[in-house]
Amino acid sequence: MSTTYYVVLSFVANEEGDLIPEEPREAQSRGQAEAMARALKGQKAGVVAFSRTGDPNVGDFQPAVEIVRYGHVPDDLE
């Protein structure tokens, strides 16, 4: 059974300027993920909202689909 998860991941910068991910937050919908990311954009170094679709029972997921990105987010984020 395929399920879509919506996730918001924010980043803070340490003293050296490296981006450190915070705890991911799950949203109930694409719209809620966008709103959560927008609310964090001025408070964090960076924030990205994305979705992943797949079957959690077998661990088979399609690649993440970026919804929105604000600020500084690592380029190699997968």
Side-chain angles (χ1 to χ4, degrees), residues 50-68:
F50 62 93
S51 65
R52 293 214 51 207
T53 301
D55 186 343
N57 293 322
V58 296
D60 183 29
F61 285 90
Q62 297 174 9
V65 175
E66 186 174 303
I67 298 169
V68 68

Side-chain angles (χ1 to χ4, degrees), residues 28-51:
Q28 298 302 308
S29 67
R30 178 186 176 99
Q32 184 184 34
E34 288 180 53
M36 289 169 63
R38 194 171 38 253
L40 290 171
K41 75 177 182 179
Q43 302 171 24
K44 305 295 179 179
V47 60
V48 62
F50 62 93
S51 65

Side-chain angles (χ1 to χ4, degrees), residues 8-26:
V8 177
L9 182 60
S10 57
F11 295 85
V12 294
N14 65 13
E15 292 178 5
E16 292 79 31
D18 298 322
L19 294 173
I20 309 298
E22 295 189 303
E23 190 70 28
R25 300 175 190 192
E26 188 172 348

